[in-house]
Every structure is written in C-alpha cells, then in structure tokens.
Amino acid sequence: MNDIRIRNATLEDAKQILDIYAYYVEHTAITFEYDVPTLANFQNRMENIMQRYPYLVIEKEGEIQGYAYAGPFKERDAYDWSCETTIYLDPAVQKCGLGRKLYKELEKRLQDMGILNLYACIAYPVVEDKYLNKNSAEFHAHLGFKKAGTFHQCGYKFGHWYDMIWMEKIIGLHEKEQPSVKF
C-alpha cells in the first residue's frame, strides 16, 4: 500500500474521524450509540482520551481512513495496567490490511507505556443480520485476542437484541513488583 501513514490524532482531525464513526452509529449495531455525537462532544471525548492514552489515525494518500485509541478499562488505580481498545475504519477500506497496521501500532505504543492487558468490548450477534456480523470478533481473534466473556442480549438497537462479548490480549509480563504505567 502506497503512502500509508499512522500518526497521533489531533482535535483538528475530529470532523473526519466523526464522519467515519457516524456511519457506524447510523447504519450498524457495531456501536450501541443511537445518535451521532456533536462535533464539540466528540472533540471533548478525544481530548479526554488523549490526556493519558494513544489516539491514532491511519492515512492513505493524506486522507484519514480509520482511527484507533485506548481508554481506561476501569477507573481504579489497580486497573492501570489494563485498557480498552477501539478501532473504526472507513467502511470502504475494510479488509485491506489497514486495521491490522493501525492496531499493531496502537498495541506497540501501549506496550511501551507498560500496559499489560488489552480488552475489546464487541457487539456480537446471536444471528448475523444487516446491522451486525461477527467480523469485529474475527478481526480481534486474528490479532491474538481471546474471548473472555459474554453479556447476553444486553444491547438493543434497530429492533434487535445483541450480545456483547469481551475479548482480551495479554501483551506483557505480570510481575510481583510491577513498574508503574507511563501515562
């Protein structure tokens, strides 16, 4: 792939990133959010994440094709070595290898910080339909994530009930005297 670049997102990228996310809100059950956030709300979300965690975009020929970020798994200090990961790609570039490149870079940066456990919260269909398939779970499994648990029929969108699964990937050693995470 020519002219692929992964870089830190900026608040100036928020409009393009939100355009990607809006597709998933309006047309899929991949996110359980019903309404597209306002640009100001989305920028606020980005700003809060960027205070401690990587927020990345992948560009092809100068255009943002997707984004990925990490956030806290839980808000207690004992969870500092764990985080939740998120990725969204422009639907036109799925299954082209960009998601793998982007997630690998996110994983590297998290590992460099001292993060040990990655978690992904994934909407999961009991039966695939036009709003949700198993692609996200399969993508994560392909990258080494393993299913850790299922919440049954916990999300309702577009007149359908969906499960949510948690997948995890361990990327570091758990020591008796664990060094602090470098936020």
Side-chain angles (χ1 to χ4, degrees), residues 86-178:
T86 301
I87 185 169
Y88 287 96
L89 294 176
D90 183 312
V93 299
Q94 290 179 354
K95 301 195 183 225
C96 295
L98 296 178
R100 172 185 276 279
K101 288 179 187 297
L102 185 56
Y103 235 38
K104 285 293 187 185
E105 180 63 23
L106 180 65
E107 182 179 317
K108 178 189 173 303
R109 291 189 189 196
L110 292 167
Q111 195 168 37
D112 289 347
M113 290 172 59
I115 298 290
L116 305 176
N117 307 326
L118 306 182
Y119 296 103
C121 179
I122 300 168
Y124 194 81
V126 176
V127 176
E128 293 188 39
D129 61 34
K130 70 179 184 176
Y131 302 110
L132 188 62
N133 56 39
K134 296 178 181 173
N135 287 355
S136 185
E138 291 165 356
F139 168 77
H140 283 82
H142 192 66
L143 293 178
F145 283 75
K146 300 203 179 324
K147 187 174 169 186
T150 302
F151 292 85
H152 301 280
Q153 297 183 347
C154 67
Y156 182 78
K157 190 170 179 183
F158 302 126
H160 300 274
W161 284 101
Y162 298 103
D163 290 353
M164 178 192 61
I165 63 172
W166 278 96
M167 296 184 79
E168 69 179 344
K169 182 176 182 180
I170 309 303
I171 62 169
L173 296 175
H174 295 77
E175 306 289 344
K176 184 161 177 66
E177 297 295 326
Q178 194 68 43

Side-chain angles (χ1 to χ4, degrees), residues 39-50:
L39 181 58
N41 181 276
F42 199 76
Q43 286 172 320
N44 188 50
R45 291 180 190 186
M46 289 177 66
E47 196 168 38
N48 287 336
I49 291 164
M50 288 188 245

